[in-house]
């Protein structure tokens, strides 16, 4: 796309006077998305192509190297540069231009930094075989990744403890205590190690954000909620009932179940709890019975909202699983709403769809709050932290998990758009061409492996910790050449080999004989700044109170809706017997009222002599539901109203018809949100006159309508006198409303 856009920018001469330019920004060193098709070498190639075209066109080409770091301290940047400048292999894949790897300059040149390399945690010597009763996937406490996770969690908990004297720098440059949000732990993949590290941090009550990506159906909180649904639908399913009882919603442990389950005989677990004399068993059984009743009558969303909100199940789950579960619960409820929108809701189908779903939650760790973040390097791109820990630096890509398909160019071609596709089922069956393609793929993977390390190291602002673990069993044999090469290619080997000269060695507290290497530049020493004593915190009482029900916003009150039969055949206030006898009924009455309003809107703009003719033409077009006699009566009625002497200003050219009005009227302890339309309005220098035409409405209701208009106009024209009148079109007569009448009408109105 880029080449197609700029191919002709600098071709030809004199074709246009406008100078076309190209501005491109990129950092090859941070290209870590080859699985999405990224090829960082293309940036340098295109840069060379553009510079050639620009030079040939006798224009200026400038390459600006962005070497200034706005994030990291000089100590961190020096470590990064030394790692990738220590030998040619380490720099392979970071820069494809002729100038090679560019060294950095720190904007924060006075910021003090610290780099620390921990010894790799080794696999302990093999002991007696574990008992066969343990699960097949059981991981021993002596496993190196378990020991590393425990030590990292213990170290971080120490940094965050109230009495800690460890410091980082504030934005003003002063020392301050370390917060959980200052710490970013980077791993290569979302493996068991990352899960174990999150678990160890939680066990030590370290605020941790949890995983950056979560499989919704695989999270323990969702599994517990699925068990709730299954147990409610099928109470005889003892396994699901037991899972629910051990969930945070009940908090039972193994001892609670062992005291009950083995002795229940032919009874189900639920029946055994109901028959028990222990109050907590009986209460749990009653709660499960309530859920079973709800499961048959409520939608999935309502069912789970009753548990999570009404019974404070969300609070119980977050108390055990941490804040990470909040995102999971939100997504779970969102899935329940989506299920309801898709058709007839069913708890059975919802649970089935959920269990078969591969929905994944991607969490935004840039807004994770004051928590320790454990995430992959890919997810951390663009983020930063005061303290960065590279936690698993001992592995190296070996191609074992790569795809078995390879692209091989045809013989005698270069840049073939249609290469051959080869499949390698087993490693030992590769021919020369396939082996070459396999070696090329591995070389590209190692280049990205080094770019990932660059991205990981440059996330740190002040402190960088390097840790890892061995997976091989230690022995007394000398390491093989392959093992040495693997170590040198690992992140740990690259960092240690480049930085160990000149670093200070101190013995690791967790394992005598193992040495920690560190280097600092004027770092704050422990004890330099004392931590302020932690002030006791108490939660406000309102936090634990249920929310009050808030009524929804009422729609605006339309004044005409106050009139139960506006402009219809209600003639209770009409005293003219002849008018009663002549009044049309039903639909004719409604249409007659509409046409009178229409004539009183249109006819005042015409001279008196033409009003009869214009009225007849208008009713022939719009009053087709009326007979000729009825149309004649409507025209005569409108003309008589316009002839009233006290309404001459209302029908003057300055007056306006059908004026929309809206607002809020406060009257005592009542509030009215009003949306209406005024039949006729005229604004004079010191007076505003508002009238409404009525043909057969009860007088009390009509005054209530005018009272609202009167109050709103008083807000709009505070310096004018407001005059309000109801014009009865049948007599015709004008009913001027004084303040007493309007106030009584407001007293009788209800805001609902």
């Amino acid at each position: 796309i880029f080449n197609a856009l700029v191919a002709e920018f600098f071709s030809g001469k004199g074709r246009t006077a406008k100078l076309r330019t190209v501005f491109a920004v990129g950092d090859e060193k941070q290209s870590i998305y080859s699985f999405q098709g990224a090829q960082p070498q293309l940036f340098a190639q295109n840069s060379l192509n553009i510079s050639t075209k620009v030079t040939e066109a006798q224009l200026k080409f400038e390459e600006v190297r962005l070497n200034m770091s706005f994030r990291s301290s000089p100590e961190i940047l020096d470590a990064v540069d030394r790692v990738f400048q220590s030998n040619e292999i380490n720099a392979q894949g970071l820069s494809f231009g002729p100038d090679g790897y560019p060294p950095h300059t720190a904007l924060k040149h006075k910021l003090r930094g610290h780099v620390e390399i921990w010894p790799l945690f080794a696999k302990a010597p093999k002991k007696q075989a574990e008992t066969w009763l343990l699960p097949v996937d059981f991981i021993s406490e002596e496993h190196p990744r378990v020991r590393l996770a425990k030590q990292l969690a213990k170290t971080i908990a120490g940094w965050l403890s109230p009495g800690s004297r460890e410091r980082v720098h504030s934005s003003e440059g002063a020392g301050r205590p370390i917060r959980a949000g200052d710490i970013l732990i980077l791993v290569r993949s979302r493996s068991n190690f990352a899960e174990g590290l999150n678990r160890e941090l939680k066990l030590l009550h370290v605020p941790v954000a949890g995983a950056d990506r979560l499989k919704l159906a695989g999270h323990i909180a969702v599994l517990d909620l699925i068990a709730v649904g299954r147990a409610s639908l099928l109470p005889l399913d003892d396994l699901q009932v037991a899972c629910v009882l051990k969930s945070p919603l009940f908090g039972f442990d193994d001892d609670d179940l062992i005291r009950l389950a083995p002795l229940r005989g032919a009874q189900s677990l639920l029946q055994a709890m109901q028959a028990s004399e222990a109050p907590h068993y009986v209460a749990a059984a009653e709660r499960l019975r309530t859920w079973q009743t709800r499961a048959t009558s409520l939608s999935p969303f309502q069912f789970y909202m009753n548990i999570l909100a009404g019974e404070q199940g969300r609070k119980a789950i977050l108390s055990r699983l941490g804040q990470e579960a909040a995102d999971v619960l939100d997504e779970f409820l969102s899935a329940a709403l989506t299920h309801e929108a898709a058709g007839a809701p069913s708890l059975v189908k919802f649970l089935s769809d959920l269990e078969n779903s591969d929905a994944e939650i991607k969490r935004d760790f840039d807004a994770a709050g004051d928590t320790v973040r454990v995430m992959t390097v890919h997810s951390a791109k663009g983020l930063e932290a005061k303290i960065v820990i590279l936690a698993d630096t001992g592995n190296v890509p070996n191609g074992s998990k790569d795809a078995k398909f390879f692209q091989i160019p045809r013989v005698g071609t270069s840049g073939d758009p249609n290469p051959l596709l080869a499949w390698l089922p087993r490693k030992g069956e590769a021919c020369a061409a396939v082996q070459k393609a396999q070696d090329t793929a591995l070389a590209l993977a190692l280049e990205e492996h080094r770019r990932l390390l660059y991205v990981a190291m440059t996330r740190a602002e002040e402190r960088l910790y390097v840790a890892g673990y061995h997976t091989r069993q230690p022995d007394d044999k000398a390491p093989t050449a392959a093992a040495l090469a693997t170590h040198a290619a690992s992140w740990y080997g690259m960092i240690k080999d480049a930085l160990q000269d000149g670093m200070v060695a101190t013995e690791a507290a967790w394992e005598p004989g193992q040495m920690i290497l560190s280097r600092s530049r004027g770092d704050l020493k422990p004890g330099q700044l004392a931590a302020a004593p932690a002030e006791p915190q108490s939660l406000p009482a309102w936090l634990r109170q249920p929310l009050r029900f808030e009524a929804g916003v009422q729609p605006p009150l339309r004044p005409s809706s106050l009139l139960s039969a506006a402009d219809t055949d209600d003639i209770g206030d009409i005293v003219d017997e002849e008018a009663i006898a002549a009044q049309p009924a039903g639909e004719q009455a409604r249409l007659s009222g509409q046409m009178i309003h229409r004539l009183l809107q249109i006819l005042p703009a015409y001279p008196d002599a033409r009003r009869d003719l214009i009225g007849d033409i208008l009713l022939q077009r719009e009053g087709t539901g009326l007979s000729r006699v009825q149309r004649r009566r409507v025209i005569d009625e409108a003309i008589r109203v316009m002839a009233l002497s006290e309404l001459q200003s209302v029908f003057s050219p300055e007056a306006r018809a059908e004026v929309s009005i809206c607002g809020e009227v406060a009257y005592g302890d009542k509030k009215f949100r009003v949306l209406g339309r005024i039949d006729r309005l005229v604004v004079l220098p010191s007076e505003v006159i508002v009238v409404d035409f009525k043909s057969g409405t009860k007088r009390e209701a009509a005054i209530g309508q005018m009272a609202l208009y009167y109050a709103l106009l008083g807000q709009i024209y505070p310096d004018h006198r407001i005059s309000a009148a109801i014009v009865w079109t049948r007599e015709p007569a004008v009913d001027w409303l004084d303040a007493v009448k309007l106030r009584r009408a407001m007293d009788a109105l209800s805001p609902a």
Side-chain angles (χ1 to χ4, degrees), residues 211-223:
D212 58 336
R213 287 179 184 264
L214 299 169
K215 287 285 187 181
L216 182 60
H219 194 275
I220 184 63
V222 175
L223 293 175

Side-chain angles (χ1 to χ4, degrees), residues 401-450:
K401 296 183 179 180
D402 293 345
K404 303 299 182 183
F405 291 92
F406 300 93
Q407 290 185 350
I408 303 174
R410 300 172 189 270
V411 177
T413 62
S414 60
D416 185 3
N418 299 305
L420 296 172
L421 193 64
W423 174 49
L424 181 62
R426 284 181 290 274
K427 186 175 181 180
E429 298 180 357
C431 64
V434 173
Q435 184 64 51
K436 181 179 179 181
Q438 191 176 26
D439 293 342
T440 300
L442 181 58
L444 292 175
L446 287 170
E447 288 182 355
E448 182 157 295
H449 167 74
R450 292 185 277 269

Side-chain angles (χ1 to χ4, degrees), residues 493-508:
M494 292 170 64
I495 295 172
K496 186 175 181 181
D497 292 347
L499 302 182
Q500 61 183 343
D501 292 342
M503 298 188 84
V504 178
T506 55
E507 189 173 60

Side-chain angles (χ1 to χ4, degrees), residues 594-609:
Q594 289 180 349
M595 291 301 101
I596 289 173
H597 279 76
R598 184 75 169 132
L599 291 174
L600 292 174
Q601 175 188 356
I602 300 297
L603 294 185
Y606 293 91
D608 294 350

Side-chain angles (χ1 to χ4, degrees), residues 678-734:
I678 296 172
D679 287 348
R680 204 81 184 175
L681 177 73
V682 60
V683 180
L684 302 175
S686 60
E687 183 184 19
V688 174
I689 302 175
V690 54
V691 300
D692 208 69
F693 304 117
K694 299 300 177 188
S695 58
T697 304
K698 290 184 178 180
R699 188 170 184 273
E700 291 78 8
I703 297 175
Q705 177 181 359
M706 294 304 294
L708 291 173
Y709 291 159
Y710 179 89
L712 278 179
L713 289 170
Q715 297 177 30
I716 299 172
Y717 300 100
D719 299 328
H720 289 64
R721 180 168 60 87
I722 311 298
S723 299
I726 299 173
V727 177
W728 304 100
T729 61
R730 293 283 172 81
E731 280 97 342
V734 180

Side-chain angles (χ1 to χ4, degrees), residues 1 12 138 157 178 184 227 317 362 381 447 480 562:
I1 294 174
F138 173 76
I178 297 174
L184 176 62
I317 292 174
K362 184 178 180 182
K381 191 170 184 294
E447 288 182 355
T480 63
L562 298 172

Side-chain angles (χ1 to χ4, degrees), residues 5 47 51 58 125 128 141 161 213 343 430 469 486 534 537 549 585 620 629 652 726:
L5 286 172
S47 177
S51 67
Q58 299 180 351
Q128 184 178 359
E141 293 289 312
S161 63
R213 287 179 184 264
Y469 55 87
T486 299
Q537 299 289 331
F549 175 77
Q620 287 184 36
V629 174
S652 67
I726 299 173

Side-chain angles (χ1 to χ4, degrees), residues 220-232 234-254 257 261 269-270 273 284 287-288 291 317 320-321 355:
I220 184 63
V222 175
L223 293 175
D224 285 341
L225 293 175
I226 290 175
V228 167
R230 296 291 186 203
S232 301
L234 188 61
L236 298 181
D237 189 338
D238 287 347
L239 175 59
Q240 298 296 341
V241 172
C243 290
V244 173
L245 293 175
K246 288 196 66 178
S247 74
L249 298 174
F250 287 93
F252 284 26
D253 56 22
D254 287 338
L257 295 180
L269 196 58
L270 181 57
M273 286 194 295
R287 189 178 179 192
L288 286 169
W291 292 355
I317 292 174
R320 180 185 294 184
L321 302 180
E355 288 178 317

